[in-house]
C-alpha cells in the first residue's frame, strides 16, 4: 500500500546522509533502535524510513565519517500562531488511535522560564568580591531539621558540649544531588553511574521508586531511597542501607498521576529489585491509598522515622501545583525533615502528554512562595527545601538557592551529561542512548566507567561556576545566599510576578 | 606482551574500530579516501561480530603459540621479539593456511584485491612505535577495547 496517513507522511525529521562520505560501515544501522535505518545489500545503499526516526541523533553521533545530519522536516504540518505543528500531528495521531498520547522527558512548551528573568548581583567598590581560587569558598550544605535553638553543657574539664540532640542531617559537599530515577525506568548502568558519581562528589543519589538493586548496596550510604505509592522494593534492608528516605507524593512532570511500568519490561532482575512477580505490571497508584490527609502523611513519616530509629532525615516530595505554599506548610507540620518541590518542567519516563504540558507550576515560583510561607509561619528552620524540575545550569542553582532552596536535584541535566538528546521517547523503552531502556543491547551503551566521569564532571563544572558567582557577590559560603533574594533582580516581569517571587525589579 | 583487550560487556557494535583500522592502514590515513579511493573496504583487521544483544570486535590475540605461524608455508608470518605476530603481506602467497589454522577466525583472506594474500591485525605496530595506542582502541567510544600496558596477558583478563 503506497498511501500513508498524514501523521506518518508529514514526519518530523529527515535523516540526511551524504552518500559520498558514507563508507557503509553499517554503524548507523546497528545504532538505530527505532528501525529507521536499513542496509540494502542489493543496491549497497543505506536507506532511512524517515517516518520512523524520532530525532535521537544517535546515528549522527556515532557515524565515523560525519555523513549523517538529522534535520527537522521542512514539510512538517503548516502551523500558525495557535496551531503549532505538534498539535496538528497529535490531532492526526489521535484521530487514528483514539488513545492518550504518552511521552517522556519534560514539558517542552514555551512557558515563561522565570530563571531567565532573574539577574544575579555582584560587588563593586563598597564591598569586596572574593576570588574563589585564592580564598576558601564553601558549598557544603546540610539538609534536615535545624531546630529552634541548641543547649550547651559545661563538661567537668570546663569545655562546652552539645546538650541538644540534633536532628539527623545529610552533609552535601555541593548542593547538587541526583534526582529520583527508578531502576526499570532507567537501567542499572546509569543508576550505578549516578551512585558512583555521588560517592565521588560527596553528594547523594536517589533510587526512585524501583527499589535498590543488590549491586548498588555498596553505594547506598550516599543514597536516598524512595517510598512511593507502589511501595516497590521497600524492605528492612532498604531502609537500613540508605542515608535518607523520601516519600514520593507527586512528580512535577505528572502531578496527580501515578506510574506504570508495563509487565513486559519487568525482567527477572527488575522483578527481584521491586519485589514483584516477573512480568507483572508495576503500577504506582496516583495517590498513596493510605494517605488522604496531612495527618495520614504524618503517620507514614513517623512510621518511617520509627523504623529508621530517628537516625535518618525523611524527605517528602511533592509536585509544584496551585496552593503549593499551603501544601508545603502542611507537609512541614506533618514532620518532614526535607520538602522536595518538583516543578512542572521536570522529567519523566512516561506521562500523558496533556498532563506533562499543562499541569503544575514552575519550580521558581514554588520555591519563592514556599520559602516565604514557612518563614512567615516561623518554621523555615524546621525543614529544608530541595528544588527540582527545571534546573538547567549553575546559574539556575544559584537563583534557586537565592530564592530560598537549600539544595537542588538534577535529572534531565544528568541524562544530558551522558548523551540524552531530548528526543522525548523515553516511554518507548528503546532509548538509543541506552539511558531509559533495559534492553540488554541498548543498556550496554552506557559504560558506568565513562558515565560516572561525565556525571561527576558536570557537577564539578557547575560547582566551580557557583563558586565564581558567589565570589562575585562577595559571599564565601553558600549558606549566606540561602533565601537572600536581595541578591536577585527581576527583568521583564510584571510587578505582580516580581512580588510573588519576592524579588525587586532591576534598577532598584 | 600486551594486546588489545576486548570488553564484551560494552561493545555497542558501532564499527568505529573497523573504520579506524582501515584508515590507519591506508596510504591516505583518511577513512573516506581509504574506502573510496584505495578500495580498502572489508580490509579491517578488527571484525565486529554481532549476535542479538552481544557484540564484540575480534582481532588477533597475538598468541604465544601462533597456530597461523605453524600453518604458514612461505614464512610470511613471524613472531617478533616484542611478541607481535606479524604477517608480511608481501611474502604471503595466499595459501589460506593461517585462515584455516587460526582458532579465533581473525586471519582473513583478501578476496577482492588484485594481490592474493592474507591479512591480520599487526597491533598497529607503527602507531605503537610512535607512542600511540592502537587505532581501534583510540576510536572505540565505549571503552570496549582497551590497551593497557600494565594489564596481564590472560584471555578474558578484563573483569569489572
Ligand atoms: S555510520 Fe556513517 S559511514 Fe557508517 S554506514 Fe552509517 S552513514 Fe555510512
Ligand atoms: S538513530 Fe535516531 S536519529 Fe538516527 S535514524 Fe534512528 S531514530 Fe533517527
Ligand atoms: S592470527 Fe590467530 S593464531 Fe595467529 S596469532 Fe593471531 S589469533 Fe593467534
Ligand atoms: S590493533 Fe591496529 S591493526 Fe589491530 S585491529 Fe586494532 S586497529 Fe587494527
Ligand atoms: S569501536 Fe568499540 S564499541 Fe564500537 S564496534 Fe568496535 S569495539 Fe565495539
Amino acid at each position: 500500500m503506497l498511501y500513508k496517513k498524514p501523521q506518518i507522511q508529514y514526519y518530523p525529521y529527515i535523516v540526511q546522509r551524504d552518500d559520498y562520505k558514507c563508507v557503509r560501515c553499517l554503524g548507523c544501522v546497528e545504532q538505530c533502535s527505532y528501525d529507521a535505518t536499513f542496509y540494502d545489500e542489493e543496491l549497497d545503499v543505506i536507506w532511512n524510513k524517515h517516518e520512523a526516526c524520532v530525532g535521537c541523533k544517535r546515528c549522527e553521533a556515532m557515524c565515523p565519517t560525519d555523513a549523517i545530519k538529522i534535520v527537522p522536516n521542512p514539510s512538517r504540518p503548516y502551523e500558525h500562531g495557535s496551531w503549532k505543528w505538534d498539535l496538528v500531528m497529535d490531532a492526526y495521531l489521535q484521530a487514528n488511535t483514539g488513545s492518550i498520547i504518552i511521552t517522556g522527558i519534560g514539558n517542552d512548551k514555551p512557558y515563561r522560564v522565570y530563571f531567565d528573568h532573574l539577574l544575579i548581583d555582584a560587588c563593586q567598590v563598597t564591598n569586596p568580591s572574593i576570588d574563589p581560587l585564592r580564598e576558601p569558598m564553601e558549598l557544603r550544605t546540610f539538609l534536615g531539621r535545624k531546630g529552634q535553638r541548641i543547649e550547651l553543657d559545661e563538661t567537668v574539664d570546663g569545655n562546652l558540649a552539645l546538650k541538644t540532640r540534633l536532628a539527623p542531617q545529610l552533609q552535601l559537599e555541593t548542593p547538587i544531588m541526583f534526582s529520583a530515577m527508578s531502576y526499570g525506568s532507567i537501567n542499572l548502568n546509569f543508576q550505578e553511574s549516578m551512585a558512583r558519581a555521588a560517592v565521588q562528589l560527596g553528594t547523594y543519589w536517589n533510587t526512585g521508586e524501583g527499589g535498590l538493586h543488590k549491586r548498588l548496596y555498596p553505594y547506598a550510604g550516599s543514597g536516598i531511597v524512595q517510598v512511593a505509592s507502589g511501595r516497590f522494593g521497600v524492605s528492612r534492608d532498604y531502609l537500613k542501607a540508605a542515608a535518607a528516605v523520601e516519600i514520593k507524593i507527586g512528580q512535577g512532570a505528572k502531578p496527580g498521576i501515578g506510574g506504570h511500568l508495563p509487565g513486559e519490561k519487568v525482567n527477572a532482575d527488575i522483578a527481584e529489585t521491586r519485589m514483584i512477580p516477573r512480568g507483572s505490571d508495576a503500577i504506582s497508584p496516583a495517590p498513596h491509598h493510605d494517605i488522604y490527609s496531612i495527618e495520614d502523611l504524618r503517620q507514614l513519616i513517623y512510621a518511617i522515622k520509627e523504623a529508621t530509629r530517628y537516625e535518618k532525615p525523611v524527605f517528602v516530595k511533592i509536585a509544584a501545583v496551585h496552593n503549593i505554599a499551603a501544601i508545603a506548610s502542611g507537609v512541614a507540620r506533618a514532620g518532614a525533615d526535607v520538602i522536595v518541590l518538583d516543578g512542572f518542567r521536570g522529567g519523566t519516563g512516561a506521562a500523558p502528554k496533556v498532563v506533562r504540558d499543562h499541569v503544575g507550576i514552575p519550580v521558581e515560583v514554588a520555591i519563592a512562595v514556599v520559602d516565604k510561607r514557612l518563614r512567615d509561619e516561623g518554621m523555615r528552620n524546621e525543614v529544608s527545601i530541595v528544588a527540582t524540575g527545571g534546573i538547567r545550569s549553575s546559574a539556575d542553582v544559584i537563583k534557586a538557592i537565592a530564592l530560598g532552596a537549600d539544595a537542588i536535584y538534577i535529572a534531565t541535566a544528568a541524562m544530558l551529561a551522558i548523551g540524552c538528546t531530548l528526543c522525548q521517547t523515553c516511554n518507548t523503552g528503546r532509548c538509543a542512548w541506552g539511558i531509559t531502556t533495559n534492553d540488554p543491547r541498548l543498556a550496554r551503551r552506557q559504560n558506568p566507567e565513562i558515565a560516572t566521569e561525565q556525571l561527576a564532571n558536570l557537577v564539578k563544572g557547575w560547582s566551580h561556576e557557583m563558586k565564581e558567582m558567589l565570589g562575585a557577590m562577595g559571599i564565601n559560603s553558600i549558606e549566606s545566599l540561602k533565601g537572600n533574594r536581595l541578591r536577585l533582580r527581576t527583568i521583564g516581569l510584571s510587578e505582580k510576578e516580581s512580588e510573588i517571587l519576592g524579588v525587586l525589579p532591576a534598577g532598584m | 606482551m600486551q594486546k588489545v583487550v576486548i570488553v564484551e560487556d560494552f561493545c555497542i557494535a558501532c564499527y568505529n574500530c573497523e573504520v579506524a583500522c582501515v584508515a590507519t592502514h591506508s596510504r591516505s590515513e583518511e577513512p573516506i579516501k581509504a574506502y573510496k579511493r584505495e578500495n580498502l573496504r572489508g580490509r579491517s583487521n578488527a571484525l565486529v561480530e554481532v549476535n542479538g544483544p552481544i557484540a564484540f570486535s575480534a582481532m588477533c590475540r597475538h598468541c604465544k603459540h601462533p597456530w597461523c605461524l605453524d600453518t604458514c608455508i612461505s614464512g610470511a608470518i613471524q613472531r617478533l621479539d616484542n611478541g607481535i605476530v606479524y604477517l608480511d603481506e608481501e611474502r604471503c602467497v595466499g595459501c589460506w593456511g593461517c585462515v584455516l589454522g587460526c582458532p579465533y577466525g581473525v586471519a582473513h583472506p583478501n578476496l577482492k584485491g588484485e594481490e592474493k594474500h592474507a591479512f591480520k591485525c599487526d597491533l598497529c605496530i607503527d602507531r605503537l612505535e610512535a607512542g600511540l595506542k592502537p587505532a581501534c582502541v583510540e576510536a572505540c567510544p565505549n571503552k570496549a577495547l582497551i590497551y593497557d600496558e600494565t594489564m596481564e596477558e590472560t584471555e578474558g583478563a578484563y573483569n569489572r
Side-chain angles (χ1 to χ4, degrees):
Chain A
M1 208 173 64
L2 294 176
Y3 166 73
K4 289 190 195 123
K5 291 193 169 173
Q7 82 278 12
I8 295 175
Q9 187 54 38
Y10 310 154
Y11 43 78
Y13 302 101
I14 295 181
V15 185
Q16 275 182 356
R17 182 175 287 93
D18 181 335
D19 193 54
Y20 191 76
K21 284 171 106 181
C22 170
V23 300
R24 274 72 171 160
C25 73
L26 306 189
C28 53
V29 179
E30 197 60 45
Q31 292 308 299
C32 184
S33 51
Y34 297 92
D35 297 332
T37 311
F38 299 92
Y39 176 56
D40 184 326
E41 223 176 321
E42 194 186 336
L43 297 177
D44 189 28
V45 163
I46 315 267
W47 290 125
N48 277 97
K49 244 169 73 185
H50 302 291
E51 64 269 27
C53 172
V54 302
C56 73
K57 291 163 88 73
R58 175 73 184 182
C59 54
E60 179 178 337
M62 289 292 151
C63 173
T65 58
D66 189 24
I68 306 175
K69 286 286 164 267
I70 308 297
V71 293
N73 183 357
S75 187
R76 285 169 172 180
Y78 298 127
E79 58 179 19
H80 61 55
S82 152
W83 280 95
K84 297 296 171 202
W85 73 269
D86 57 325
L87 285 173
V88 177
M89 286 295 261
D90 289 353
Y92 288 148
L93 180 64
Q94 284 185 299
N96 282 292
T97 61
S99 53
I100 293 176
I101 297 177
I102 304 288
T103 186
I105 283 287
N107 196 329
D108 65 354
K109 295 290 172 285
Y111 294 103
R112 171 163 286 169
V113 178
Y114 283 96
F115 282 130
D116 294 340
H117 291 266
L118 290 169
L119 301 171
I120 299 167
D121 191 21
C123 297
Q124 297 294 296
V125 186
T126 51
N127 47 351
S129 45
I130 300 170
D131 183 347
L133 294 176
R134 295 200 173 78
E135 289 174 63
M137 179 68 69
E138 201 159 278
L139 294 183
R140 183 173 290 170
T141 300
F142 290 92
L143 295 183
R145 173 184 304 265
K146 301 296 183 291
Q148 296 288 0
R149 66 200 141 86
I150 50 164
E151 282 178 52
L152 299 173
D153 244 358
E154 212 170 319
T155 56
V156 271
D157 45 1
N159 288 331
L160 288 177
L162 200 57
K163 194 172 158 195
T164 320
R165 188 178 164 199
L166 293 180
Q169 305 284 323
L170 289 192
Q171 180 179 327
L172 284 59
E173 297 310 322
T174 181
I176 304 169
M177 302 184 288
F178 296 112
S179 194
M181 286 180 266
S182 68
Y183 174 40
S185 75
I186 60 167
N187 61 63
L188 209 55
N189 285 345
F190 176 28
Q191 211 177 44
E192 179 183 337
S193 307
M194 280 189 288
R196 281 161 66 171
V199 171
Q200 221 183 78
L201 293 160
T203 182
Y204 294 83
W205 64 287
N206 190 312
T207 59
E209 58 182 305
L212 179 63
H213 191 271
K214 47 187 188 295
R215 193 168 108 196
L216 301 189
Y217 268 84
Y219 311 105
S222 296
I224 299 163
V225 296
Q226 247 190 12
V227 174
S229 61
R231 302 281 199 273
F232 298 120
V234 180
S235 68
R236 193 181 55 189
D237 292 344
Y238 180 73
L239 297 176
K240 212 172 180 176
V245 182
E246 180 171 287
I247 299 171
K248 177 193 177 184
I249 300 291
Q251 188 175 339
K254 45 176 174 177
I257 300 276
H260 181 181
L261 188 67
E264 59 265 27
K265 292 191 186 172
V266 179
N267 63 28
D269 221 28
I270 292 172
E272 187 189 337
T273 308
R274 292 203 176 214
M275 303 176 179
I276 55 173
R278 184 175 173 172
S280 63
D281 288 2
I283 294 176
S284 299
H288 286 245
H289 283 308
D290 51 358
I291 301 179
Y292 286 85
S293 65
I294 293 295
E295 291 73 20
D296 289 347
L297 175 63
R298 187 177 175 80
Q299 281 192 11
L300 181 60
I301 292 173
Y302 276 89
I304 290 172
K305 287 191 177 187
E306 187 63 44
T308 54
R309 300 163 192 265
Y310 297 87
E311 282 165 359
K312 296 175 188 191
V314 174
F315 290 41
V316 174
K317 178 177 182 173
I318 48 178
V321 289
H322 311 169
N323 256 323
I324 186 70
I327 299 165
S329 165
V331 171
R333 281 161 212 280
D337 298 285
V338 178
I339 301 179
V340 181
L341 299 171
D342 194 3
F344 81 155
R345 282 188 304 270
T348 173
K353 194 171 178 192
V354 66
V355 173
R356 186 197 75 173
D357 292 353
H358 300 280
V359 180
I361 62 168
V363 73
E364 305 91 303
V365 177
I367 304 166
V369 299
V370 169
D371 177 65
K372 176 162 191 308
R373 175 70 166 255
L374 295 176
R375 282 174 194 245
D376 289 350
E377 292 179 350
M379 46 191 306
R380 180 64 182 85
N381 54 314
E382 295 294 334
V383 63
S384 296
I385 299 177
V386 171
T388 181
I391 311 280
R392 305 156 304 165
S393 67
S394 58
D396 288 359
V397 184
I398 288 284
K399 291 171 187 176
I401 290 174
L403 283 173
D406 291 80
I408 61 97
Y409 270 136
I410 54 168
T412 305
M415 303 213 301
L416 291 173
I418 58 167
C420 167
T421 52
L422 302 177
C423 74
Q424 311 193 19
T425 51
C426 324
N427 54 302
T428 63
R430 295 162 83 177
C431 174
W433 289 87
I435 302 169
T436 54
T437 174
N438 274 284
D439 179 336
R441 168 177 153 235
L442 303 174
R444 54 166 50 208
R445 295 183 182 180
Q446 290 301 332
N447 181 338
E449 204 184 306
I450 299 171
T452 303
E453 195 184 326
Q454 308 254 122
L455 291 166
N457 278 344
L458 180 82
V459 175
K460 279 182 203 157
W462 284 18
S463 302
H464 286 311
E465 287 177 346
M466 286 160 62
K467 287 181 176 179
E468 289 291 340
M469 285 182 275
L470 288 174
M473 283 188 269
I475 294 176
N476 65 4
S477 162
I478 193 89
E479 284 284 332
S480 317
L481 182 68
K482 213 165 284 177
N484 195 344
R485 299 186 202 181
L486 276 172
R487 307 314 297 268
L488 295 176
R489 291 292 183 271
T490 63
I491 185 157
L493 295 183
S494 70
E495 215 179 316
K496 192 71 197 172
E497 285 171 307
S498 299
E499 185 192 318
I500 290 169
L501 289 170
V503 178
L504 293 170
M508 289 184 79
Chain B
M1 69 156 295
Q2 303 313 318
K3 62 178 122 188
V4 176
V5 179
I6 300 165
V7 188
E8 210 183 286
D9 282 351
F10 292 116
C11 174
I12 59 177
C14 71
Y15 296 93
N16 273 260
C17 49
E18 287 194 6
V19 177
C21 184
V22 168
T24 202
H25 292 88
S26 70
R27 276 194 309 281
S28 60
E29 300 197 23
E30 261 288 318
I32 296 168
K33 286 184 188 159
Y35 277 79
K36 304 257 159 160
R37 295 271 167 194
E38 299 176 39
N39 200 20
L40 292 177
R41 187 169 167 195
R43 281 294 308 274
S44 173
N45 301 330
L47 202 69
V48 179
E49 307 268 1
V50 187
N51 187 357
I54 308 294
F56 59 84
S57 176
M59 75 285 292
C60 174
R61 304 289 79 217
H62 298 279
C63 307
K64 267 190 200 139
H65 182 135
W67 300 83
C68 55
L69 189 150
D70 287 354
T71 59
C72 183
I73 62 166
S74 72
I77 298 180
Q78 310 155 36
R79 191 163 197 267
L80 308 182
D81 291 344
N82 57 11
I84 293 177
V85 179
Y86 185 77
L87 188 156
D88 184 347
E89 291 175 9
E90 302 284 313
R91 283 169 74 182
C92 171
V93 295
C95 73
W96 305 155
C98 57
V99 177
L100 291 172
C102 171
Y104 298 100
V106 290
H108 309 288
N110 180 23
L111 293 174
K112 52 169 214 175
E114 274 158 34
E115 302 299 328
K116 198 167 182 256
H117 66 79
F119 62 95
K120 62 175 274 305
C121 165
D122 60 2
L123 206 61
C124 284
I125 191 164
D126 295 340
R127 291 177 59 91
L128 292 185
E129 274 165 13
L132 298 168
K133 288 192 171 183
C136 53
V137 172
E138 201 176 273
C140 180
N142 209 33
K143 291 199 180 169
L145 297 175
I146 295 177
Y147 183 78
D148 183 348
E149 307 260 342
T150 61
M151 213 171 247
E152 271 299 304
E153 186 204 353
T154 48
E155 294 303 333
Y158 186 79
N159 260 318
R160 274 194 311 127

